[in-house]
Amino acid sequence: MDHFLYKNGSLHAEDVALSEIAATVGTPFYCYSAATLTRHYQLFKDALAPMPNLVCFAIKSLSNVAVLKLLGDLGAGMDVVSGGEYLRAKAAGVPGDRIVFSGVGKTREEMRLALTGGIRQFNVESEPEMRALSEVAVSLGVKAPIAVRVNPDVDARTHEKIATGKSENKFGIPIARAREVYAEAAALPGLEVVGIDVHIGSQLTELEPFEQAFTKVAELTVALRADGHDIRRLDLGGGLGIPYTRSNEAPPLPMDYGALIARTLGHLGCEIEIEPGRLISGNSGVLVSGVIYVKNGEGRDFLILDAAMNDLVRPSMYGAHHDIVAVAEPAPGAPTLPFDIVGPVCETGDTFAKARELPLLAEGDLVAFRSAGAYGAVMASEYNTRPLVPEVLVKGDHFAVIRARPSFDEILKRDSIPEWL
Ligand SMILES: *Cc1c(COP(=O)(O)O)cnc(C)c1O
C-alpha cells in the first residue's frame, strides 16, 4: 500500500497534487511520501516486535538526509556502505550506536571516521579487512565491535546482479570457514566479536532462501557460542522484495518474514538486526516526468520524456519494470495505445518500456513512474549534462524540495581548465 492515489482527477502524493509540484519544481523530479516511508518502517517494527530488534534502513536505496531524518526520528538505525553514507546518517541526527557499517571494501580512512564518530558495529567481509580494522582500532585506543558476514551459499533466486549469497559472489566469508575466521577475529587486539551478519541478495520474492540462510545462521550461532564467542546480535541483512506491478506479483509480507525469523532464530535470545532498503523506500517514491514529444514511428509510437536513463537507470541496467501512469486520471474506458517510452539520451538503452498501454498523451502532459523510491535518485547521474534530478518530500498537505536541481552554472563551475592548457 502507498499514498499515491488519484483524487479529483489527478495523481496525488498524500494530499498534494503531483501537477502542483511539477508547476513549482519543473520536471523531472522524484517525490517521496512521508506516510508511506513511515508505514513501511512500522511494518518491520511490528513484525519483529516479539524480539529485541533494530531496523537499520539501508541508506544506499535512498540516501537523502531529509528521508534519513524522518526514519531516524522514528527510531530507525541505519545501514551504511561508505564513509559518505556514514556522514549522511550523522547529518540526519542518527547516533553512532544505531549505525551499522557494511560493505566489502571499507578503507582505513572510513574505519577511522566511524570509530571516531561512533559506530554500533562493522560487518566485516574478509580476513584482510579484519586485520586492517584491528590495526586502526588499536591506533585509536578502542575496540571495534564486529559481526562477520558469512556467505551461506544459498540461491536467492533473484536477478543475478543483485544476488549476493552464493559462494561465487564476492561477499562475505564461506560459512564453512566461519569458526576459523571467528577464532582469528577473537585473537585480534582491536576487535570485539558481537554477532553474525548475513545478506543474501535484493528483491527476493520468496521466503525459502531466507529460511535456508537463517537455519544455517542458527546452527553457526550454537557452534560459535560453544567455541566461546559471545554472539548476542544477528544481523540478517535486507532483501525483501516489493511488487513492481500492480497485478501479478505477491512478494512475502514483512509479518511473515518476521514470523520466519522468530521461528528459525528466536530461541537464541539474540538481538535481531535487519537492513531493509527497497521495502521501505521503493513504493514510497515516484519519478514524475513530462512528455516532450509524441513521435509516430514505423509500426510504433514513441513517448519521448524529459526523464532519461541517467535519472532512473533500473530499466536499462536490470531490465526492470516500473508501472508508468498518466498523472491526469484517464476517464473510465478511455482508449489506450501502446507506446515505447524513452528518454532523450543518445543511447538505445535509454528505453523505459516497450509497447506500454497508456492513454493518449500530448506534449506537456505528465507521467509518473511508480515504485521508484529505491535505487532511483541514488543511482542518478548527470550523463549528457542533464542536471541531477531533484527530490521532493510530501507530508500531508506539505511539500518541500529536499534536493534542488543544480543550475547549469553550478554544473559548469565544477570543471576547471588547467593553467598550462
Ligand atoms: C543492498 C543491501 C541491503 C538492502 O537491500 P534491499 O534489497 O534494498 O533491502 C542491505 N544490506 C546490505 C549489506 C546490502 O548490500
Side-chain angles (χ1 to χ4, degrees), residues 281-367:
S281 53
N283 283 323
S284 301
V286 295
L287 170 65
V288 178
S289 175
V291 175
I292 305 180
Y293 297 117
V294 182
K295 175 175 164 180
N296 304 114
E298 280 198 28
R300 65 184 65 211
D301 291 330
F302 293 96
L303 211 53
I304 302 175
L305 302 182
D306 63 10
M309 61 188 290
N310 69 296
D311 303 306
L312 177 66
V313 78
R314 298 187 67 259
S316 48
M317 186 146 131
Y318 308 118
H321 172 101
H322 285 270
D323 276 353
I324 302 169
V325 298
V327 168
E329 186 174 18
T336 62
L337 271 184
F339 286 104
D340 281 10
I341 303 174
V342 302
V345 161
C346 309
E347 297 210 22
T348 305
D350 188 23
T351 298
F352 290 119
K354 293 204 154 164
R356 192 69 71 80
E357 291 289 334
L358 274 178
L360 309 178
L361 291 167
E363 288 179 23
D365 285 347
L366 299 174
V367 298

Side-chain angles (χ1 to χ4, degrees), residues 112-239:
R112 211 167 286 125
L113 177 71
L115 282 171
T116 318
I119 190 80
R120 176 183 180 82
Q121 116 202 2
F122 291 91
N123 292 332
V124 297
E125 301 217 14
S126 67
E127 288 136 305
E129 183 193 343
M130 276 175 11
R131 291 170 203 141
L133 181 59
S134 176
E135 273 174 35
V136 174
V138 167
S139 76
L140 295 169
V142 297
K143 285 220 175 211
I146 65 145
V148 176
R149 176 167 175 180
V150 294
N151 186 327
D153 194 21
V154 304
D155 184 354
R157 288 183 243 156
T158 182
H159 192 286
E160 62 171 87
K161 285 190 184 159
I162 50 177
T164 59
K166 283 289 283 172
S167 54
E168 70 257 29
N169 301 131
K170 70 182 176 187
F171 300 99
I173 275 164
I175 198 161
R177 288 193 45 237
R179 292 175 78 171
E180 171 194 330
V181 173
Y182 270 88
E184 177 174 354
L188 286 167
L191 303 188
E192 183 194 1
V193 170
V194 297
I196 304 173
D197 172 48
V198 68
H199 170 76
I200 57 173
S202 199
Q203 186 54 16
L204 270 74
T205 53
E206 313 162 80
L207 285 180
E208 230 247 289
F210 286 119
E211 171 145 23
Q212 288 175 31
F214 298 167
T215 304
K216 291 187 181 190
V217 167
E219 287 162 12
L220 180 62
T221 305
V222 174
L224 291 176
R225 282 178 171 171
D227 291 346
H229 303 288
D230 180 12
I231 303 298
R232 49 193 188 272
R233 293 182 194 156
L234 299 177
D235 183 334
L236 305 176

Side-chain angles (χ1 to χ4, degrees), residues 1-4 13-14 32-43 70-71 279-285 394:
M1 210 213 101
D2 60 49
H3 290 77
F4 297 96
E14 304 189 24
Y32 311 119
S33 151
T36 314
L37 288 161
T38 302
R39 180 189 140 79
H40 290 157
Y41 167 73
Q42 200 56 49
L43 287 177
L70 182 153
L71 293 170
L279 201 137
I280 292 179
S281 53
N283 283 323
S284 301
V394 169

Side-chain angles (χ1 to χ4, degrees), residues 339-410:
F339 286 104
D340 281 10
I341 303 174
V342 302
V345 161
C346 309
E347 297 210 22
T348 305
D350 188 23
T351 298
F352 290 119
K354 293 204 154 164
R356 192 69 71 80
E357 291 289 334
L358 274 178
L360 309 178
L361 291 167
E363 288 179 23
D365 285 347
L366 299 174
V367 298
F369 291 74
R370 289 187 171 276
S371 313
Y375 308 103
V378 287
M379 287 185 155
S381 76
E382 289 186 342
Y383 187 38
N384 279 211
T385 308
R386 297 166 44 82
L388 200 58
V389 59
E391 296 173 283
V392 172
L393 181 65
V394 169
K395 184 177 182 196
D397 57 5
H398 296 283
F399 79 89
V401 173
I402 55 174
R403 188 175 69 198
R405 194 189 314 275
S407 68
F408 285 114
D409 243 14
E410 287 165 325

Side-chain angles (χ1 to χ4, degrees), residues 58 60-61 79 81 102 149 199 201-203 237-240 275-279 375:
K60 77 170 195 267
S61 72
D79 173 48
V81 294
S102 300
R149 176 167 175 180
H199 170 76
S202 199
Q203 186 54 16
L240 206 56
E275 304 167 348
R278 191 189 310 265
L279 201 137
Y375 308 103

